[in-house]
Amino acid sequence: MTDTTTIHVPLGARAYDVRIGAGLIERAGPEIAPLLARPRVAIVTDETVAGLHLARLQAALAREGIASQALTLPAGEATKSWSHLTRTVEWLLEQKIERRDIVIGFGGGVIGDLVGFAASILRRGVRFVQIPTSLLAQVDSSVGGKTGINSPHGKNLIGAFHQPSLVLADIAVLDTLTPRDFRAGYGEVMKYGLLGDEKFFCWLEENAVSLKDDLALRQEAVAHSVRMKAGVVTRDETEQGERALLNLGHTFGHALEAATGYSDRLLHGEGVAIGCALAFDLSARMGLCSQEAPSRVLEHLSRMGMPARLSDIPGELPDDEALIGLMAQDKKVVDGQLRFVLARGIGNAFVCDDVERSALVAVLADAR
């Protein structure tokens, strides 16, 4: 077992710790017990995670005298929907969850986002704990309090800011991810280097191929990503400014996810990876960064075995105009103006709402 890294997210009355290390599921009882007004919790998970890890979590809680009930939802992005939100909230009410109780979101980003949103609206707000089981959720969606569900109009358009009370990121759990899911989560790790830390991106160029097999390197990558996110969230909790930089690659990525029907044709982290490549291509075309920067991004994605172009997505995609229309539904749109996170170089991202449509069309056409 590796030592645990603790990263504090200092948000006043909403402050919490993110704990990162191997074996945290086994220690979930003593980690969560201090938060409880009474020794019981409700767990919401998905079928994949339940089959692999739910018994271990419930046993760990029971060893501490904590009773638990669990709701198991289907795995996949389509679960972030009104119907599953309704099912979750009604189930929590059936369990007589009170404001002082804790709901545990036990799964990847889909479960974390859905459960966080359910907790935010249940009795006008109950506390919840994130136990993220995917690389993507550990480095990104479990930290920062963004919760929500998808709409046919776009991704994460319905939601609320609701900070967790604790995050337990057990990096050993990532051993059970498929190679594709691990790589998809890596899209969010890489994003942190690209948006604000060139030294971290250089470290990833050296070490990222070993993250799947080396627990110490994995812990370092997860902890560095969480530190970066926690810093941004602390300075800009509700995305009035700097936090928007965390959306590097997401304007493109979310449009592609909507275009593929939130199916496993394209996983979220894969959409982010393609989006980062497109954002750097667009930046270079607009003269904002050298051509070397997008080349480095493409080379790194290729080395990691990740998609980087629209042509890497199986099946038909809508035409350029339709994709741009999906981008126009993005939450970052202001006064009808598309906003992109672009870059002046690796590690130097900024928000831009002055993108010429011709440059955007050229980037999309080139990526097909």
Side-chain angles (χ1 to χ4, degrees):
M1 189 179 74
T2 56
D3 291 335
T4 300
T5 304
T6 299
I7 296 165
H8 187 62
V9 185
L11 291 171
R14 297 178 309 289
Y16 56 96
D17 287 336
V18 182
R19 309 268 281 152
I20 301 160
L24 280 167
I25 287 178
E26 276 72 24
R27 301 208 304 278
E31 292 282 354
I32 291 170
L35 300 173
L36 299 178
R38 54 178 176 163
R40 62 181 296 242
V41 295
I43 303 166
V44 182
T45 187
D46 70 35
E47 289 159 358
T48 303
V49 173
L52 291 167
H53 308 297
L54 180 59
R56 276 198 304 140
L57 175 60
Q58 292 192 292
L61 294 167
R63 284 195 297 273
E64 198 69 17
I66 300 168
S68 62
Q69 295 292 323
L71 171 67
T72 302
L73 299 173
E77 188 74 31
T79 295
K80 277 177 62 169
S81 64
W82 281 116
S83 59
H84 287 103
L85 176 71
T86 301
R87 182 179 170 193
T88 302
V89 169
E90 294 294 347
W91 179 80
L92 291 169
L93 289 170
E94 285 167 19
Q95 303 309 308
K96 298 183 170 58
I97 292 300
E98 299 174 2
R99 273 190 174 173
R100 299 185 310 156
D101 291 332
I102 290 282
V103 179
I104 297 175
F106 186 40
V110 168
I111 288 295
D113 284 2
L114 176 79
V115 175
F117 188 30
S120 78
I121 57 177
L122 183 72
R123 302 191 192 279
R124 298 198 177 93
V126 302
R127 295 174 304 153
F128 78 115
V129 167
Q130 291 265 25
I131 306 183
T133 59
S134 70
L135 178 59
L136 188 146
Q138 290 188 2
V139 300
D140 191 66
S141 59
S142 67
V143 180
K146 275 189 179 180
T147 73
I149 58 173
N150 301 330
S151 156
H153 292 289
K155 191 175 167 79
N156 296 331
L157 293 177
I158 305 126
F161 287 97
H162 189 53
Q163 299 292 345
S165 296
L166 176 69
V167 180
L168 299 177
D170 187 335
I171 58 168
V173 168
L174 306 184
D175 288 338
T176 61
L177 293 180
T178 65
R180 184 188 178 195
D181 279 323
F182 192 93
R183 286 195 302 267
Y186 178 73
E188 292 280 8
V189 178
M190 178 188 75
K191 176 195 78 175
Y192 287 106
L194 293 176
L195 72 88
D197 192 338
E198 185 177 12
K199 274 169 65 175
F200 183 48
F201 186 73
C202 293
W203 184 88
L204 291 170
E205 286 179 312
E206 290 281 313
N207 296 292
V209 289
S210 303
L211 296 184
K212 188 86 171 77
D213 302 313
D214 188 318
L215 267 183
L217 287 176
R218 189 188 304 174
Q219 180 154 339
E220 194 170 336
V222 172
H224 192 90
S225 301
V226 170
R227 262 189 220 100
M228 284 190 71
K229 177 144 194 193
V232 172
V233 167
T234 301
R235 293 186 294 270
D236 180 20
E237 184 179 2
T238 58
E239 201 171 302
Q240 304 303 306
E242 183 189 1
R243 186 166 180 172
L245 295 179
L246 296 172
N247 292 311
L248 175 64
H250 285 61
T251 301
F252 289 110
H254 284 172
L256 293 170
E257 283 184 88
T260 52
Y262 306 116
S263 68
D264 61 8
R265 280 175 61 195
L266 183 72
L267 303 179
H268 173 68
E270 293 171 336
V272 170
I274 294 170
C276 285
L278 296 176
F280 270 82
D281 185 15
L282 182 57
S283 300
R285 282 173 194 271
M286 293 172 63
L288 297 167
C289 68
S290 71
Q291 194 54 56
E292 183 205 2
S295 297
R296 264 177 87 185
V297 175
L298 287 172
E299 186 180 332
H300 188 58
L301 287 171
S302 172
R303 187 153 182 253
M304 294 300 293
M306 294 178 68
R309 303 169 55 80
L310 302 190
S311 55
D312 294 331
I313 302 169
E316 289 292 309
L317 285 174
D319 63 23
D320 295 342
E321 288 302 314
L323 285 177
I324 293 170
L326 288 168
M327 290 178 210
Q329 272 288 359
D330 195 86
K331 297 187 304 303
K332 295 173 288 300
V333 169
V334 176
D335 296 330
Q337 186 79 36
L338 272 173
R339 304 179 88 205
F340 290 88
V341 182
L342 299 180
R344 297 187 179 92
I346 286 173
N348 186 6
F350 69 103
V351 178
C352 177
D353 56 11
D354 186 23
V355 173
E356 288 189 11
R357 196 178 186 87
S358 58
L360 187 54
V361 168
V363 165
L364 293 171
D366 238 30
R368 289 184 183 269

